[in-house]
Amino acid sequence: MPVTTTHPQYDDKLTDWELMRDSIEGEGAIKGAGIGYLPKTSGQLALEHQAKTDESAMLSLDEAREIYQSYKRRAQYPLWVKDSLRTMMGLVSRQEPEINLPTSLASLQDEATADGFPLKTLFLRAVRDLLAYGRQPLLADWDGGGRPYVAAYGALDAINWREADVDGRRDLVLSVLREAVHQGDEFSHDSEARYRVLDLNEGRYRVRLLDEHGEAVGEEDMPGTNQAPLDFIPLVFLGSTDNNADTDEIPLLTMAKAALKSYQLSADYYTSLHYTSHPQPWIAADLGEDEQFSVSGPMAAWNVGKDGKVGYLEFQGAGIEANRTAMQDQRNTALEAGARVIDAGAEESGEARKARQSDQHTSLYSVVVTAAEGIEQLLRYFGRWLNLPQADIDAIAFKVEPEFTKAEIDAAMMGIVRDLRLADEVPQAVLFESLRKAGVTNLADQDLLALLDGQVTDDE
């Protein structure tokens, strides 16, 4: 099979990951996907077919296609995912990791990422990707100067992997990571795909770089030291519920799907409003040879003869309110989904957390903890790579015990409520009831209003 072969779990998640990527990028990416996210109506398809096949069609093919483009331009994609992610990351950024590293790895604390940022930045980026995609692969590596660093890959970049029994343990024995390599001159932004293949070859860690045809690009590498060749792949798949190689739940996916459905509904809603505001005039007249139809005046006064009739084909708008109600339902679904994720679970016991993971439900609290655990595991891989004493490896630590106060959680949820209300007018009572339904708060409407207006502080 070719190097571009993808894992079945990757194939299952790809559509959701692409939706999350486009949701975070915003309306431009969503509308750029065209009919992928906003299918054409049956009427639009019929018009285009008629324009292609019927020479007597009233519209040219370009004019028929413009009807869909206008339909898409009127649609509005809400930025609920992007705004909610920003709010959640504001909470996480206040958390301070507990870090313990041996001298040989101390440089990682201040310069851990490939672009030179500290471990805390790596942690924040990991949490962001876990909230958005439920997955982030992290690879331990060394630069040309012999300094350790962590190479972070996106969920869509880890296209294939395989686990097998190694000395009685279930270990990773293959991973294929897709990379983009710059092509062209210094001003070009073109790139082509390369595939970094990590595997165990006769029990030793091996790295190969291949092109899309499976041809080697450079020589293969067997990282490690002569004294201690690596017998494992130093890659950790961070997940939203645990850190094994399987794909995990995407915490913000429900919100993204609600936003997409709202976008599709808004296309019909705003088109209906457009037609309601622009009725189509009609004329019925049997004019004699001596009579002529004429139009005059800036607002079109018609002369249709003695027996002529005129009127408007006017959209009655019976479905407009139903569309608006359906859009509000999607906003409430998004709010409840965000509430379930942001529910910090600060008082959650270890057993409760295990139960949550067993049910494949994620919260901001559990994502923070699993991200920290995965980074700690990767740091210990560095220790094994250096062949440090086991006591020193066990002493390596990267821990984050989330401490989200109830006031912080309520204020963060009010930020999400504010964003939803700014996107379109939604009844306050409906939004507040959604918060209570999601189990985030038991506050009465007047208390939630105070939070919404910023009148309550953490001390209160």
Side-chain angles (χ1 to χ4, degrees):
M1 299 183 77
V3 69
T4 54
T5 300
T6 53
H7 193 285
Q9 291 185 26
Y10 181 93
D11 297 334
D12 290 342
K13 286 287 187 182
L14 182 58
T15 299
D16 291 340
W17 285 336
E18 289 175 338
L19 171 60
M20 293 306 304
R21 177 196 63 200
D22 294 339
S23 296
I24 293 169
E25 188 170 337
E27 187 168 281
I30 293 293
K31 290 189 173 181
I35 60 174
Y37 290 135
L38 184 62
K40 295 178 181 179
T41 67
S42 57
Q44 291 162 358
L45 291 170
L47 274 176
E48 291 186 17
H49 177 73
Q50 185 183 42
K52 288 179 183 177
T53 58
D54 189 349
E55 293 182 359
S56 63
M58 295 179 63
L59 298 176
S60 69
L61 182 57
D62 286 344
E63 290 171 330
R65 286 173 173 166
E66 178 58 27
I67 291 176
Y68 172 74
Q69 295 303 320
S70 298
Y71 175 72
K72 184 173 69 173
R73 281 193 291 270
R74 292 187 192 102
Q76 183 180 63
Y77 183 77
L79 300 180
W80 301 335
V81 174
K82 189 173 186 176
D83 292 341
S84 298
L85 184 58
R86 183 183 63 246
T87 299
M88 293 175 189
M89 291 309 300
L91 281 175
V92 177
S93 66
R94 302 176 190 176
Q95 310 305 306
E96 287 300 328
E98 173 193 334
I99 304 172
N100 184 49
L101 296 171
T103 303
S104 54
L105 297 175
S107 63
L108 283 169
Q109 183 154 348
D110 297 320
E111 194 172 343
T113 67
D115 52 352
F117 285 90
L119 267 177
K120 183 175 180 180
T121 299
L122 175 67
F123 165 70
L124 293 175
R125 290 176 179 178
V127 170
R128 184 180 186 278
D129 268 32
L130 294 185
L131 288 170
Y133 302 101
R135 183 173 180 83
Q136 185 176 47
L138 297 180
L139 176 66
D141 209 344
W142 302 80
D143 64 18
R147 292 170 298 186
Y149 74 95
V150 178
Y153 291 83
L156 284 83
D157 298 326
I159 66 169
N160 201 2
W161 61 93
R162 185 163 53 86
E163 293 179 303
D165 183 85
V166 178
D167 296 331
R169 295 169 57 94
R170 190 77 177 169
D171 284 349
L172 188 68
V173 296
L174 169 74
S175 182
V176 181
L177 304 170
R178 183 172 52 209
E179 302 175 350
V181 179
H182 176 259
Q183 296 292 318
D185 60 31
E186 61 182 310
F187 305 110
S188 170
H189 293 280
D190 296 334
S191 64
E192 64 180 44
R194 292 283 188 271
Y195 296 87
R196 188 170 298 274
V197 180
L198 317 175
D199 66 1
L200 292 181
N201 181 42
E202 297 181 352
R204 285 197 60 179
Y205 173 42
R206 177 175 63 170
V207 180
R208 289 171 291 160
L209 194 61
L210 309 179
D211 63 19
E212 61 183 3
H213 304 294
E215 297 294 328
V217 181
E219 297 182 1
E220 69 177 46
D221 188 20
M222 305 285 281
T225 64
N226 292 331
Q227 294 78 20
L230 290 189
D231 58 357
F232 65 96
I233 299 174
L235 177 74
V236 176
F237 286 96
L238 271 62
S240 60
T241 55
D242 57 38
N243 295 319
N244 64 23
D246 293 335
T247 58
D248 276 355
E249 177 188 4
I250 302 172
L252 293 179
L253 181 60
T254 300
M255 180 177 281
K257 287 185 174 180
L260 178 59
K261 180 56 66 177
S262 178
Y263 166 65
Q264 294 167 346
L265 289 166
S266 77
D268 293 330
Y269 176 71
Y270 289 115
T271 296
S272 298
L273 291 180
H274 173 75
Y275 287 145
T276 301
S277 303
H278 297 82
Q280 172 66 46
W282 61 267
I283 300 169
D286 184 12
L287 301 177
E289 293 183 1
D290 298 332
E291 295 179 294
Q292 289 185 341
F293 168 70
S294 63
V295 179
S296 65
M299 297 302 290
W302 305 320
N303 179 6
V304 296
K306 183 175 65 173
D307 297 322
K309 296 181 180 179
V310 297
Y312 281 98
L313 291 175
E314 192 166 5
F315 186 85
Q316 297 301 311
I320 291 181
E321 188 56 34
N323 253 341
R324 181 175 175 81
T325 299
M327 290 167 65
Q328 289 181 354
D329 289 343
Q330 295 305 318
R331 279 188 286 273
N332 294 335
T333 297
L335 177 65
E336 291 175 18
R340 285 193 296 272
V341 175
I342 209 169
D343 176 15
E347 302 301 324
E348 189 175 47
S349 68
E351 289 304 314
R353 181 171 167 237
K354 289 178 183 177
R356 185 197 293 273
Q357 291 177 345
S358 297
D359 292 338
Q360 288 293 290
H361 293 310
T362 56
S363 71
L364 185 61
Y365 183 89
S366 64
V367 164
V368 166
V369 173
T370 54
E373 289 174 348
I375 291 174
E376 182 177 84
Q377 179 61 50
L378 194 74
L379 294 174
R380 291 181 176 179
Y381 280 169
F382 277 114
R384 289 177 61 185
W385 196 326
L386 291 175
N387 201 27
L388 296 179
Q390 189 60 47
D392 291 346
I393 294 174
D394 293 341
I396 293 174
F398 185 94
K399 299 185 182 300
V400 179
E401 287 297 329
E403 294 182 359
F404 304 122
T405 68
K406 187 62 177 174
E408 286 175 331
I409 294 301
D410 286 340
M413 275 310 307
M414 289 304 101
I416 294 177
V417 170
R418 243 190 316 269
D419 289 335
L420 288 170
R421 291 191 63 207
L422 287 173
D424 199 293
E425 188 59 36
V426 184
Q428 285 180 164
V430 174
L431 291 176
F432 293 164
E433 183 58 32
S434 295
L435 285 175
R436 288 189 285 266
K437 181 179 177 183
V440 175
T441 183
N442 292 317
L443 294 177
D445 284 7
Q446 61 268 26
D447 298 322
L448 290 172
L449 273 172
L451 276 169
L452 190 62
D453 295 335
Q455 297 172 7
V456 177
T457 66
D458 288 356
D459 294 335
E460 294 179 280

